[in-house]
Amino acid sequence: MTHPFFEGIAPVRYEGPDSDSPLAYRHYNPDEIVMGKRMEDHLRFAVAYWHSFAWEGGDPFGGQTFERPWYPQDQMKMAQVKADCAFDMFDILGQPYFCWHDADIRPEGADFAESHARFESIIDIFEQKMATRPVKLLWGTANMFGHRRWMAGASTNPDPDVFAYAAATVKMCMDATHRLGGENYVLWGGREGYETLLNTDLTAELDHMGRFLNMVVEYKHKIGFKGTILVEPKPQEPSKHQYDYDVATCYGFLQKYGLEQEVKLNIEQGHAILAGHSFEHELALAASLGVLGSIDMNRNDYQSGWDTDQFPNNVPEVALAYYHILKAGGFTTGGTNFDAKLRRQSLDAHDLIAGHVGAMDICARGLKAAAAMIEDGGLEDALAERYAGWSTPEAQALLDSDFDSIFARVHAGKIVPQPRSGRQEQLENYVNWFV
Amino acid sequence: MTHPFFEGIAPVRYEGPDSDSPLAYRHYNPDEIVMGKRMEDHLRFAVAYWHSFAWEGGDPFGGQTFERPWYPQDQMKMAQVKADCAFDMFDILGQPYFCWHDADIRPEGADFAESHARFESIIDIFEQKMATRPVKLLWGTANMFGHRRWMAGASTNPDPDVFAYAAATVKMCMDATHRLGGENYVLWGGREGYETLLNTDLTAELDHMGRFLNMVVEYKHKIGFKGTILVEPKPQEPSKHQYDYDVATCYGFLQKYGLEQEVKLNIEQGHAILAGHSFEHELALAASLGVLGSIDMNRNDYQSGWDTDQFPNNVPEVALAYYHILKAGGFTTGGTNFDAKLRRQSLDAHDLIAGHVGAMDICARGLKAAAAMIEDGGLEDALAERYAGWSTPEAQALLDSDFDSIFARVHAGKIVPQPRSGRQEQLENYVNWFV
Amino acid sequence: MTHPFFEGIAPVRYEGPDSDSPLAYRHYNPDEIVMGKRMEDHLRFAVAYWHSFAWEGGDPFGGQTFERPWYPQDQMKMAQVKADCAFDMFDILGQPYFCWHDADIRPEGADFAESHARFESIIDIFEQKMATRPVKLLWGTANMFGHRRWMAGASTNPDPDVFAYAAATVKMCMDATHRLGGENYVLWGGREGYETLLNTDLTAELDHMGRFLNMVVEYKHKIGFKGTILVEPKPQEPSKHQYDYDVATCYGFLQKYGLEQEVKLNIEQGHAILAGHSFEHELALAASLGVLGSIDMNRNDYQSGWDTDQFPNNVPEVALAYYHILKAGGFTTGGTNFDAKLRRQSLDAHDLIAGHVGAMDICARGLKAAAAMIEDGGLEDALAERYAGWSTPEAQALLDSDFDSIFARVHAGKIVPQPRSGRQEQLENYVNWFV
Amino acid sequence: MTHPFFEGIAPVRYEGPDSDSPLAYRHYNPDEIVMGKRMEDHLRFAVAYWHSFAWEGGDPFGGQTFERPWYPQDQMKMAQVKADCAFDMFDILGQPYFCWHDADIRPEGADFAESHARFESIIDIFEQKMATRPVKLLWGTANMFGHRRWMAGASTNPDPDVFAYAAATVKMCMDATHRLGGENYVLWGGREGYETLLNTDLTAELDHMGRFLNMVVEYKHKIGFKGTILVEPKPQEPSKHQYDYDVATCYGFLQKYGLEQEVKLNIEQGHAILAGHSFEHELALAASLGVLGSIDMNRNDYQSGWDTDQFPNNVPEVALAYYHILKAGGFTTGGTNFDAKLRRQSLDAHDLIAGHVGAMDICARGLKAAAAMIEDGGLEDALAERYAGWSTPEAQALLDSDFDSIFARVHAGKIVPQPRSGRQEQLENYVNWFV
Ligand SMILES: [Co+2]
Ligand SMILES: [Co+2]
Ligand SMILES: [Co+2]
Ligand SMILES: [Co+2]
Ligand SMILES: [Co+2]
Ligand SMILES: [Co+2]
Ligand SMILES: [Co+2]
Ligand SMILES: [Co+2]
């Protein structure tokens, strides 16, 4: 350990469900084989630098509650301490990936050049630390929502100077992601949206966002980055309306700007809920549309109307999420990131570890339940039976037909539909046999 | 008047804001010229047969409250009484359009052929009544959600027989719409969605829905129907999830199935709210995407989580809606339909007239305020000023550029964005000068 | 079995978690001892006549989907068939209790006297059936929301005649509950609220409701009914606002009308969610205020804004509910009712059994997890430690003190609070060790 | 003017609806007589120091956007600049009242004594400034939610030291409120609630909160403060659950702790919406229960799930609010506070004035519409007619009666309720004749 912050906390090990340690893995056993693959390789966990190291415990009605050795964060020497503590935590947890925003890892400089230099020097440190450890970069991203320059959007800003600043920032972050061997590059457009339509030119802003994302793809190919470009949907907050509202909205946008083969989605449970969907809905839809990329496995509180970004803690919910991921073939470049923050009253280093350990165990349980359902095949069998009528040649002929000829047959009384039970309760019971 | 139901209620006339009649138009003056066009031709009001004549006052916890001379509705002779009363009301209100579902106007028959025959005989009656009156058909549609055969979807049903039955039903309704000179044909997919993903094949269902809508378009062209095909988005209710969730979702779907040039949207305020949007958002987005067709101007209660389908009563909200409609050039084949139902305690014929009169006045006030804002130009001027930077050749060059060259300029300190006020409060005040 | 409806479905037995029967209890083992008491005596399951036998599968956009041998329900002979099938189902499930509304069990008569006579004749049948079976009545209640006479409220109706009709109805239902040995009497005020404040005299309506509830209590004592009077909170739907909004609102109402010692609450998970609360919040608050009576263990869909009344299927949620019930001492006269309806596509007798079997298993799992947490004591220990400061004499002196003397000590620097971690994540992990 | 911040902005004057100035009052005319009283004396506007001067434009995803001459706010000399600019704004707007939290007006000191001394020195400055101006203090309050010491509550904190610190803080703020002639003292319990029930002792916390509020009342009487003690309800945010959830919850709490005669409520539109209510609901209920004190007239966005605290801009909504206030007799010690913040993109001094000017005009329009409805009497007449049945001696006898005797009359067919229309649409139209 390079810093005393986590002093007294040993690396977390798998000890099985009967462990009496508060900080053991009871279910996450990286080497355990699930459906022919190591559990670690299925889940591909990542820790988020942002919430775990940069966020200080503030909320709209209160300031910092945490006290960390790397505060105040506006000093470069503290950024080094932060990096030390972050990699200490990676050593403790043993998760295979981490993620960052540029703003998480270095203090803003006086101008772009200084911000850039600071960023690069931290990336150097990361490179060194990664050289001696198994931990890899799941994705990098640019924070284009925190600083006041982004208040009216990044690529969608009414001011072209901000568009340019965003382009420079993303290039910088893509370069670093590429250098560190990152497997994806993410864009979350927290300010790409509006506060009021009264001052917003929707058409212009969407066109600029479409052009910007094309520039990202062009740059990816230029530099030979082999990872996946991911967009993260969210309906609102901080914006009143965010353009990347949900999976369906993003898919329409990608099609309009010719990007549906180039860009995939990073789907967060909390954002699904804010958009009025279940997490499994967003995952299943993205899989169906061919744009399922990666996930942020942090939940929202169902009784709060904002993004609470809590660690997952409900196995039945998580099992359905992995069920759809496994059905879609599992992750390729994507993984399970925790874009989760401690509650602001969880002050201690212990809490930071406990949040991750609990989350990883929940995911392990969910994955195993999902795999068992896949292997049992009960849900797929039920689907096959329910849609069996569509497998006939007659059904396919129907689709190639036209209204007049169908009308004739229906009118002649040759087609009289008979409702059949949808069996929802029995299928819900079935799922509960596995979780 | 052909029936005593509305006895004692005279045709509603424009009497101006100082009228002391409870049932006069205070603001809706059909012949008044607004932005060079008669108010009636801007607003293109339609009365919905469904909520006004077929709905009996039930809700999930209670049955019929209304008592109408055309009940019980399962008898053909009552369908004739209903038609008489409906056209009496059109005569009283003087609105230019009406709309129907097949199920609104005739009782279900024992089989499709009987349902069809009953339907045609009512369409005959409509044809006769319309021959002697100015009232026209804004749109027809098929109710493919009420009968138990549709419980698992129409075009998305797991059973191909239901797909066929839906095709026959829509053909019948399109034919009638065409015969009556209808200006649009609407599809609302209340059961095209799911109750649980556990029993749902998303990919198959969406493909079937895409094929069905293509068949609608093919049939439109086959019969020479010149009206617009409209899809009505709604996020949920009765379904847990409806595929036509909102404008953005529908647009993605239309693109995927090659229909974005053929199909437009019928946008309802209440459905916008259920989807987490403002009505003006849905309108502005549809206009931006080129799919703004027609509107259902009925609001939801902001404190209720279901579709309350109330008559509009808030001028500032309605003014913003018409502002976006006017900005988009106004209605072509579309219009302002009231897909609104009386509250179930509003038992009297008087209430039915009062609901419509109040709604039409609210829309007239909204339209005039919107036109005044357009003519004043204050909002457009503010937009032009805010986005002025994008009008320069440099800005356009930026869009044609690439990350490396932009980075170089930003890094050299040549681009340093300066935030400017978004002026939201001043613009909100501006709107209030007109409503 | 008295009727072929459930033909082929054997009585459900406990077969343990490894059963391969779709309709076995995997976890609900009535005789298993949990915390010194039989599981059946903890859970006290009840089946609701309403949703399981009277509801026909309709929703706001569609009519009946179910086909039952006891339809149409407006005939007395069918009410007898319904009773036969209901008790057949009680025999199959073996749950110890059932519940009814008057309107569930008999068709409305032409006038009150006929409705009353019909009701009594069904109660006679129930009495006979119960004489030979272990099944008991958890509670009776009056449906004062379905018929059009109740559209503007029962005890809160603007028309005193409706108040009187409500009084007569409740007397009838209380008498029958008493006769059948019911252990509680429930009031749910689905129409006690308003659609619009514009036509509502809040003060008068609340006073009338307060007087009515006092009359219920007076009548209970007059007839010597020893059961508990329960009010069921719900925030809205069908009303825009229901007076019995949530636990806190009901408690304020009970205090105002002097009833907090006489009346307890029947708390439903779905209604908790509609009111913006978690189920455990409502239970914990009711326990804290001394008004926890009984529960309706049916959930809502978190993505739907109305009361979906689904069977419970999430063990972690249910475990927290029973944790608060056990902490409060468990049920006395109350129990676990399923005020749950099948999804309207679940057409078969099998579905009706499956819904209950799954729900009872989920509750059994939740109860066992809750009991294990109680017995382990980890949460209570954490609470004790967190609030330990309040156990000192100094802390109690503080509460008896005044602002001036406290100010003096704080101002002198003698009191400097030191924040301590709330440990939320660790406690959430703890719960997951048990579910 | 004492500071150049508002340079170029003249005092705002009433210029009537046809003014072409962006910063004139078009409707707020302080001396205009409405229902026999000056408009200023009806509305009793207050500016909130908090949002207008202390909030820096941050949100959960971004930091400061505003640049003010009184930043950084952690210096006492800047607190003086802030006071100068605040009173400059009061001079410009001419509103009769202002409000503060302790934390708004002075930087936190190293300990309580220093914080206290700083606070007093700003109160001295206020006293001097108020001596030469008409502006008065509507209320003072203590910010017991921002600093990390309050993270787990103030009076409900698990640590009695925090309770003591809260007591000292409130005493300090009550003393200053009393010294400045404040007309009310407010408590908003932003942290009096919980993040998770798992670490919360509801009973102890509510008892401590009840005791604390009694200490406030005791201290009020001790020092002879004649103003009103107000509690501000809010359901959640920042807490997952706030104990002062809504009006009904607060009323139950006040009754339980014997305070319903001593404490009234400060009701905010935004908080009403977050709790699932309309603003007029909360006002009407508070009036009915006798606890209507004062209002925060700032709205939430209906499509956002958090407290957006925007300036009011919808006349029909505001009119209904004042209708209930006027029906209850109007304000006594209370007033119309704007607990409203600029959108974070509204950077300019002009925006700060525009937000208030627009809000005051909206309120003036709402007040005049409400007064016109009161004077016309149409709504009261409709109520009287609807409830006329309750005015008879028979109806009062019914309330004094019992179930057996009522049953006898109903059973004998002597009472057969006849539903009458609730006339909601006509009443909604009526309101629109006035707004
Ligand atoms: Co999030
Ligand atoms: Co995320
Ligand atoms: Co609707
Ligand atoms: Co509609
Ligand atoms: Co319910
Ligand atoms: Co219930
Ligand atoms: Co607020
Ligand atoms: Co407030």
Side-chain angles (χ1 to χ4, degrees), chain C residues 205 211 222 387 399 404, chain D residues 205 211 222 387 399 404:
Chain C
E205 294 204 357
R211 175 62 194 129
K222 179 173 178 184
Y387 290 86
L399 292 177
D404 278 321
Chain D
E205 294 204 358
R211 175 63 194 129
K222 179 174 176 184
Y387 290 85
L399 292 176
D404 278 322

Side-chain angles (χ1 to χ4, degrees), chain A residues 148-201:
Chain A
R148 68 194 290 272
R149 84 171 60 84
W150 311 116
M151 69 178 197
S155 69
T156 64
N157 203 287
D159 180 356
D161 282 357
V162 180
F163 182 102
Y165 208 93
T169 302
V170 170
K171 179 205 136 61
M172 175 184 78
C173 292
M174 288 179 74
D175 286 344
T177 300
H178 191 34
R179 167 146 75 108
L180 296 180
E183 303 189 20
N184 307 269
Y185 183 82
V186 169
L187 297 107
W188 173 62
R191 303 281 176 199
E192 312 292 29
Y194 61 79
E195 293 307 308
T196 176
L197 276 175
L198 296 179
N199 69 10
T200 303
D201 182 338

